[in-house]
Amino acid sequence: MSTNKRAWNRAVVNQALKEAVIKLNPKTMIQNPIMFVVEVGFLVTLFLVFMPTAFGNTVSFGFNIAVALILLFTLLFANFAEALAEGRGKAQADSLKKTKQEITANRLVGLDVVKVPSTDLRKGDIVVVSQGEMIPGDGEVIKGLASVDESAITGESAPVLKEAGGDFSSVTGGTRVISDQIEVRITSDPGESFLDRMISLVEGAKRQKTPNEIALNTVLVSLTLIFLVVVVTLPFFADYLNIQLEVPVLIALLVCLIPTTIGGLLSAIGIAGMDRVTQFNVLAMSGKAVEASGDINTIILDKTGTITYGNRMASDFIAVGTHTSQEVGYWAALSSVQDDTPEGRSVLELMKKLNYSYEPAVIRDGTFMEFKAETRMSGVDLQDGRKIRKGAVDAVKQWVLSQGGEIPANLDPNSDAIASAGGTPLAVAVDHTIYGLIYLKDTVKPGMRERFDQMRKMGIKTIMCTGDNPLTAATIAKEAGVDDFIAESKPEDKIAVIRREQAEGKLVAMTGDGTNDAPALAQADVGIAMNSGTIAAKEAANMIDLDSDPSKIIEVVSIGKQLLMTRGALTTFSIANDIAKYFAIIPAMFMLAIPELEALNIMKLHSPMSAILSALIFNAVIIPILIPLAMKGVAYKPMSSSQLLRRNLLVYGLGGIIVPFAGIKLIDLFVQFWA
């Protein structure tokens, strides 16, 4: 659904109108000091409506009530903007709450299956979920493979494959299994699930102001205090000149001088920025993460599952030395019988495809060695003492040499040939002998080169990290179009490159989906985990891409830049507005006593009272006029910072000066008939 339709949904607008009135409570208003000053001005003016002679006031009843009403509408418009932004998040949260329901879970207790409510499940419980059943809680698949409908979370109707092992084992409570059966280990207690966190975040219950927002708010409050001091002391100087300044006029001056426009829209801009990220199916854990994404200088991308599809499949067995491809396949299959990774299963599938045979009974009493990022190998130790290893070529070479073996002369040329073609070679060895290579193929996701070109235009450097050898990494990097790559990288290498970039004063983003990506995701300024990834990756990140599309980082960066630009543009527009108000109110206040100030009435406003009311009305109506821009955000196009600054100064700086002159004059043409 488009932003505009969601923003102006009738139910959301009606609720926002109610909230705008409720938010007039001074306890709520004091959280926004700028608008609280306006509310105090409204209450003082309202008091003068009923006590017209208080404070030595001599202005008419009509002027008092007009100022009071205009200030009231200024408050309501500002509250409406914030309530509208909050309402969109609450509407989305309500739809998510419909997804959250009581589910009956099949919990494994020993060998028995016991039906229990999903609310009784705790971390570590194991449940069985069959075709047509809902997954009762967040967890990871520990046995089996199934297609899962995640449309309730992601909005995408296409099912996703979830399987034990690898980086695609994470499942979310509230999603439905549509084929086969899986066993799931629950990883969250009730109230702490992914869906619970998502509901809490999108409805704004835990929204905190970002550092930039706090800094800007401090500047705006400081300006408000300065103008407050000026207006409070102004009557003393006026008395010296025998000029009487009425309280409603002083209040009007104060309200027009303080940055009410940005003060009324600042909170709405921040909430809408979070909402725009959510619209792209990215769950941001904080506004700080969204804001930081707008200042990103470097992006670290994990290759497997991020730049490429990540489904590296065995496509051939390449023999080395005097061995045959059947021998390579035989030992590769034995090392893969208990290997639950997609690559391991693909080896067995290739054996079937090639009609090669092997004897699983050979490893029956053997000890399986799982793949580790540190060793970059897996394998099995047989009962008779033989050791089979499968893994990265250089790792297997070192292992064989440590066993006293020799490296076949044609190993490196064959390995380089596979890597040059963009594949991944895995060496297969038994004790001191290398039998050959497994040719794994992976594919770069379409459109990645164009995405990286866009990042380059934004001034963002892209670095690909992969465990592949340098030749494979270089081929993939060239095909994808990244700026740099790190081959044969371990988890600590990713952290090291992030820290190196951060030490140079750069903000770094990292995308990943595996458990080994978790430390780097936590170290990065902006960590984006794929929803299809592991629980560890999602817990370490501060953003989660529900569509598991790593190219989504483009939209996230654009939204971050758009949030910063929108805040800056509307602040510039708000402050520039004051120039026109000076020429409207200052001459109106002193013109009778100092006729020479008529020269400042360049808009030729009808009378002092019409000038003040026109400036006040413009100050109020500009807030609802700018609400759509605050919600949608300033349009962002990839360009340099200097170009962006020039464009925004021209549009919102110069525009902020010109528009109020025209607006106040136009309003004065109508106000003069009754002011």
Side-chain angles (χ1 to χ4, degrees), residues 11 34 72 87 97 228 231 290 405 588 656:
I34 299 170
L72 175 61
K97 286 175 182 175
L228 183 61
V231 171
V290 179

Side-chain angles (χ1 to χ4, degrees), residues 285-560:
M285 299 305 177
S286 69
K288 184 179 179 180
V290 179
E291 199 171 78
S293 65
D295 289 327
I296 288 300
N297 307 107
T298 305
I299 296 178
I300 313 293
L301 303 111
D302 185 51
K303 188 207 79 171
T304 306
T306 303
I307 292 176
T308 64
Y309 280 110
N311 51 347
R312 300 185 303 175
M313 300 298 178
S315 62
D316 200 3
F317 298 121
I318 311 295
V320 297
T322 59
H323 303 289
T324 64
S325 61
Q326 287 93 334
E327 288 180 289
V328 179
Y330 177 82
W331 294 114
L334 289 180
S335 69
S336 302
V337 170
Q338 296 184 43
D339 184 353
D340 225 5
T341 65
E343 291 88 347
R345 287 194 294 270
S346 73
V347 169
L348 302 182
E349 290 170 5
L350 180 60
M351 290 291 287
K352 291 180 182 178
K353 182 179 177 181
L354 297 175
N355 291 318
Y356 289 173
S357 61
Y358 63 98
E359 301 171 22
V362 173
I363 64 161
R364 181 172 298 155
D365 297 320
T367 303
F368 177 66
M369 315 293 291
E370 291 186 0
F371 176 85
K372 293 183 179 179
E374 291 76 16
T375 62
R376 296 189 293 138
M377 292 189 300
S378 63
V380 61
D381 293 345
L382 302 181
Q383 192 74 4
D384 60 12
R386 288 179 296 176
K387 298 179 179 180
I388 308 170
R389 291 295 182 269
K390 171 187 70 179
V393 176
D394 64 323
V396 173
K397 283 166 64 176
Q398 290 178 14
W399 181 78
V400 167
L401 289 172
S402 70
Q403 303 291 312
E406 296 182 356
I407 308 302
N410 61 342
L411 175 66
D412 286 340
N414 282 317
S415 174
D416 292 346
I418 293 172
S420 298
T424 301
L426 293 183
V428 179
V430 181
D431 292 331
H432 58 273
T433 304
I434 296 180
Y435 279 77
L437 300 164
I438 304 171
Y439 184 172
L440 297 180
K441 277 188 177 179
D442 200 357
T443 308
V444 174
K445 294 183 178 181
M448 293 305 293
R449 174 172 286 276
E450 291 75 13
R451 292 287 189 170
F452 293 139
D453 285 342
Q454 281 183 274
M455 290 185 188
R456 210 167 286 113
K457 290 178 182 177
M458 294 178 182
I460 298 172
K461 178 183 178 182
T462 53
I463 302 175
M464 179 185 79
C465 285
T466 175
D468 292 335
N469 64 61
L471 274 173
T472 302
T475 302
I476 296 293
K478 184 177 180 181
E479 184 180 348
V482 295
D483 297 316
D484 198 1
F485 67 90
I486 299 173
E488 299 177 345
S489 68
K490 297 177 182 178
E492 55 266 29
D493 295 328
K494 296 175 184 177
I495 296 176
V497 70
I498 292 173
R499 286 176 176 166
R500 185 189 71 204
E501 294 288 317
Q502 289 173 333
E504 296 175 3
K506 298 177 181 177
L507 288 183
V508 182
M510 165 81 188
T511 65
D513 57 2
T515 300
N516 64 335
D517 294 326
L521 288 168
Q523 176 67 37
D525 298 286
V526 178
I528 304 179
M530 304 298 106
N531 189 43
S532 60
T534 61
I535 295 293
K538 290 194 279 189
E539 287 182 347
N542 49 25
M543 286 190 184
I544 298 174
D545 176 15
L546 302 180
D547 295 331
S548 300
D549 176 8
S551 64
K552 192 79 68 64
I553 185 68
I554 291 287
E555 279 79 15
V556 173
V557 170
S558 296
I559 290 169

